[in-house]
């Protein structure tokens, strides 16, 4: 995709310019944008080549004499009539130079060519040029030779400069070019030109956040190409905030593909054997859900999914309460290989409120038999800064088809601030199918605070035999 630099040509000057002061100068300044060429497009007349006719001969003669038209590309078959012709797709092998200023997008590198020409009949001295790029909030110095000017510039000679700057702001940009020189009479003169252009956004990014009860976060990122040309996504990387590890869910994993973990840089995996989430890399890379080619046509949309997990699984208050999730770092290439890079601002969410008491399932059987008791382990956490004396009880009117078996009230004892206690409960399923476990209540005997758990988790009740596995 890398196009050699010598293919770059001088584009057209900016759409708006002005001079000050209004005076006759010995030097002239031309400011042009540097941009790469594009493939010429045509409006071809399609015709069959299998039979010869007067019309066929005329169209073939027209194509031969047309510099933009191209001829067949061999397909490796013995039948020439089956050879591909680029002309049938409206494309040509001929490169064309842009005739207009074009669009400039956020993340691209703006390059400009400055040419100073001495149009007078006499030489001038101490020629210096200064180019600045002004945005809505900043001013960048692109080049400044006024401190070390060109000693002499003969009549008819030129002086050339190329300036570049990576565009990092949206909105109106103004290229300010100043030329300073001294006439043969010793008079110091200068003039200035302004070139105004608009920087547009090539990508539109929208997010949707799903907060899970166990602290995990599913982040959906929708990326749309809002530019007027196709782009190749060279890299799409998520950089999580400091309190999160993450897993990239945009790869196909499983026994059918031979990959059992997300094979991408920064994929996060969690384990019950430790108290932290780690970030790992698996090689080689698993196939992407979007296929082998990362092309985005104008207005195309892709939806990316990431799973964020608190780095500290037991002490996860900061991860649960922070609104910062991370950033997207996107690198793309345009038609002839120009590179653009865009890093989003911090992706945020509205953090969920932490309740004083948190109740989560720690262990649930994988297979549950109809009318057969099964055990569920609950993890109860005190989220406050004070100790609690907890009691767990059943609310049978809210239990549904899975009833609590045995004692309906259990003393959990004293739980320290940010402490955790686990309790094992036995349930009895009455109805097959997908059933809800709920109808529980946890109360603090010291403060009087209580929390009802109407929906703890869902289980699938079946006929037959089964066993328990860890969740």
């Amino acid at each position: 995709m890398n196009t050699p630099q010598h293919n770059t040509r001088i584009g057209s000057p900016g759409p708006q310019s002005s001079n000050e002061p209004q005076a006759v100068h010995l030097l002239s300044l031309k400011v042009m944008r540097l941009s790469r060429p594009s493939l010429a497009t045509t409006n071809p007349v399609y015709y069959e080549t299998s039979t010869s006719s007067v019309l066929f001969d005329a169209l073939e003669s027209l194509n031969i004499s047309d510099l933009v038209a191209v001829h067949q590309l061999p397909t490796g078959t013995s039948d020439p009539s089956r050879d591909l012709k680029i002309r049938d797709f409206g494309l040509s092998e001929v490169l064309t130079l842009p005739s207009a200023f074009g669009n400039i997008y956020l993340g691209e590198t703006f390059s400009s060519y400055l040419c100073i020409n001495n149009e007078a009949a006499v030489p001038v001295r101490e020629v210096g040029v200064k180019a600045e790029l002004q945005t809505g909030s900043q001013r960048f110095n692109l080049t400044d030779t006024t401190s070390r000017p060109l000693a002499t510039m003969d009549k008819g000679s030129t002086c050339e400069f190329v300036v570049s700057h990576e565009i990092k702001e949206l909105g109106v940009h103004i290229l300010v070019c100043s030329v300073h020189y001294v006439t043969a009479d010793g008079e110091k003169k200068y003039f200035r030109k302004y070139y105004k252009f608009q920087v547009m956004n090539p990508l539109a990014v929208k997010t949707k956040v799903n907060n899970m009860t166990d602290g995990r976060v599913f982040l959906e990122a929708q990326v749309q190409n809002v530019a007027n040309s196709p782009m190749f996504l060279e890299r799409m990387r998520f950089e999580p905030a400091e309190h999160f590890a993450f897993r990239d869910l945009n790869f196909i994993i499983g026994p059918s593909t031979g990959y059992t973990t997300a094979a991408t840089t920064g994929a996060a995996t969690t384990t019950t054997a430790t108290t932290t989430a780690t970030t790992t890399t698996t090689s080689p890379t698993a196939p992407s859900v979007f296929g082998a080619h990362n092309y985005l046509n104008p207005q195309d949309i892709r939806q990316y999914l990431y799973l964020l997990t608190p780095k500290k699984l037991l002490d996860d208050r900061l991860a649960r309460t922070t609104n910062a999730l991370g950033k997207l770092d996107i690198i793309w290439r345009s038609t002839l290989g120009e590179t653009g890079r865009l890093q989003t601002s911090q992706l945020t969410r509205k953090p969920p409120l932490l309740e004083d008491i948190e109740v989560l399932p720690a262990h649930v059987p994988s297979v549950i038999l109809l009318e057969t008791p099964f055990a569920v382990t609950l993890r109860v956490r005190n989220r406050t800064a004070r100790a609690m004396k907890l009691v767990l009880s059943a609310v049978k009117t809210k239990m549904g088809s899975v009833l609590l078996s045995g004692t309906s009230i259990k003393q959990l004892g004293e739980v320290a601030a940010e402490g955790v206690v686990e309790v094992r409960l036995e349930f009895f399923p009455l109805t097959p199918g997908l059933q809800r476990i709920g109808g529980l209540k946890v109360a603090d005997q010291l403060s009087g605070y209580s929390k009802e758990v109407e929906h703890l988790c869902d289980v699938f009740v079946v006929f037959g035999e089964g066993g328990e596995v860890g969740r």
Side-chain angles (χ1 to χ4, degrees):
M1 292 296 295
N2 290 328
T3 304
Q5 186 63 35
H6 64 263
N7 285 344
T8 304
R9 62 95 52 173
I10 299 174
S12 300
Q16 296 186 30
S17 64
S18 62
N19 301 327
E20 63 172 29
Q22 297 296 331
V24 177
H25 288 278
L26 304 180
L27 303 181
S28 64
L29 173 67
K30 300 295 184 182
V31 179
M32 305 179 185
R33 182 188 175 189
L34 288 175
S35 56
R36 293 185 177 179
S38 59
L39 293 173
T41 58
T42 61
N43 295 317
V45 177
Y46 180 79
Y47 56 92
E48 296 288 347
T49 59
S50 57
T51 59
S52 179
S53 64
V54 176
L55 178 60
F56 167 77
D57 294 337
L59 291 175
E60 278 293 298
S61 301
L62 180 62
N63 279 332
I64 293 175
S65 61
D66 190 353
L67 293 177
V68 177
V70 295
H71 304 286
Q72 67 271 11
L73 298 177
T75 57
T77 61
S78 57
D79 185 3
S81 63
R82 300 184 63 184
D83 288 346
L84 297 176
K85 294 180 176 59
I86 296 184
R87 63 167 174 79
D88 295 335
F89 299 95
L91 294 177
S92 168
E93 294 174 342
V94 176
L95 296 176
T96 61
L97 303 177
S99 58
F101 186 74
N103 296 321
I104 299 180
Y105 294 103
L106 183 68
E108 292 184 339
T109 298
F110 168 72
S111 297
S112 184
Y113 169 86
L114 313 180
C115 180
I116 304 172
N117 182 40
N118 184 2
E119 299 180 344
V122 295
V124 295
R125 298 181 291 109
E126 299 181 19
V127 180
V129 62
K130 183 177 181 180
E132 296 177 305
L133 187 63
Q134 182 177 339
T135 68
S137 60
Q138 301 181 74
R139 181 187 290 260
F140 301 95
N141 186 15
L142 305 184
T143 186
D144 188 356
T145 66
T146 55
S147 59
R148 294 181 2 180
L150 182 64
T152 305
M153 192 170 182
D154 296 330
K155 61 178 182 179
S157 61
T158 60
C159 186
E160 301 171 337
F161 301 89
V162 174
V163 295
S164 300
H165 180 75
E166 184 180 352
I167 302 296
K168 297 182 179 180
E169 291 185 41
L170 292 171
V172 176
H173 287 56
I174 302 175
L175 180 63
V176 184
C177 301
S178 304
V179 177
H180 301 255
Y181 65 97
V182 178
T183 66
D185 298 333
E187 180 184 0
K188 293 184 178 181
K189 304 188 72 174
Y190 86 98
F191 63 92
R192 183 178 298 166
K193 282 192 174 184
Y194 299 89
Y195 294 84
K196 184 183 295 187
F197 58 90
Q198 183 82 17
V199 174
M200 296 179 291
N201 206 339
L203 297 168
V205 179
K206 299 180 181 179
T207 59
K208 180 181 179 181
V209 178
N210 297 278
N211 298 305
M212 310 302 290
T213 56
D214 57 0
R216 295 179 300 166
V217 179
F218 283 94
L219 173 64
E220 301 175 43
Q222 186 184 88
V223 179
Q224 181 179 16
N225 178 11
V226 294
N228 60 1
S229 60
M231 62 173 60
F232 172 80
L233 292 181
E234 189 170 276
R235 187 180 74 186
M236 179 76 178
R237 186 174 67 185
F238 178 72
E239 299 175 355
E242 57 177 335
H243 301 299
F244 290 101
F246 84 105
R247 183 177 179 183
D248 193 331
L249 302 181
N250 303 293
F251 293 85
I252 302 173
I253 59 176
S256 61
T257 61
Y259 299 91
T260 56
T261 58
T264 179
T265 302
T269 59
T270 59
T271 173
T272 57
T274 63
T275 59
T276 59
T278 59
T279 300
T280 61
T281 303
T282 303
S283 182
T285 304
S288 170
V289 297
F290 302 107
H293 303 293
N294 288 326
Y295 295 106
L296 269 184
N297 287 318
Q299 304 306 315
D300 278 2
I301 300 175
R302 279 191 176 184
Q303 188 112 344
Y304 293 86
L305 181 62
Y306 302 96
L307 172 61
L308 280 64
T309 307
K311 287 184 177 179
K312 298 180 180 179
L313 299 182
L314 296 182
D315 185 15
D316 59 353
R317 174 174 287 272
L318 288 177
R320 284 175 174 263
T321 56
T322 183
N323 63 344
L325 299 178
K327 300 178 180 180
L328 286 176
D329 190 14
I330 309 171
I331 295 180
W332 73 90
R333 289 186 180 271
S334 59
T335 307
L336 285 179
E338 294 105 328
T339 302
R341 179 177 180 180
L342 180 65
Q343 186 177 72
T344 65
S345 56
Q346 191 71 241
L347 304 179
T348 60
R349 63 167 175 172
K350 183 179 180 181
L353 296 176
L354 290 182
E355 299 188 54
D356 291 350
I357 299 176
E358 179 183 88
V359 182
L360 296 173
H363 177 89
V364 181
S366 62
V367 179
I368 297 174
L369 305 180
L370 181 64
E371 298 181 353
T372 302
F374 65 96
V376 174
T377 302
L378 304 185
R379 181 178 291 119
V380 182
R381 174 174 293 182
N382 175 9
R383 284 289 185 182
T384 67
R386 65 181 186 277
M388 288 184 173
K389 190 175 182 180
L390 300 180
V391 177
L392 186 146
S393 59
V395 184
K396 294 186 178 180
T397 57
K398 297 182 179 181
M399 281 195 170
S401 298
V402 181
L403 302 180
L404 182 65
S405 177
T407 306
S408 61
I409 299 178
K410 285 185 176 291
Q411 297 288 336
L412 303 184
E414 187 170 326
V415 182
E418 295 294 337
V420 178
V421 63
E422 292 190 354
V423 58
R424 187 174 183 271
L425 301 179
E426 192 172 87
F427 292 90
F428 191 86
L430 301 177
T431 307
L434 187 65
Q435 304 297 333
R436 171 183 61 88
I437 296 179
L440 302 175
K441 180 180 179 181
V442 181
D444 176 22
Q445 293 180 323
L446 299 179
S447 64
Y449 174 82
S450 64
K451 175 184 178 179
E452 289 194 2
V453 183
E454 297 184 1
H455 183 273
L456 178 68
C457 63
D458 293 311
V459 294
F460 195 75
V461 182
V462 297
F463 297 96
E465 298 181 355
E468 293 186 2
V469 297
R471 180 174 175 177

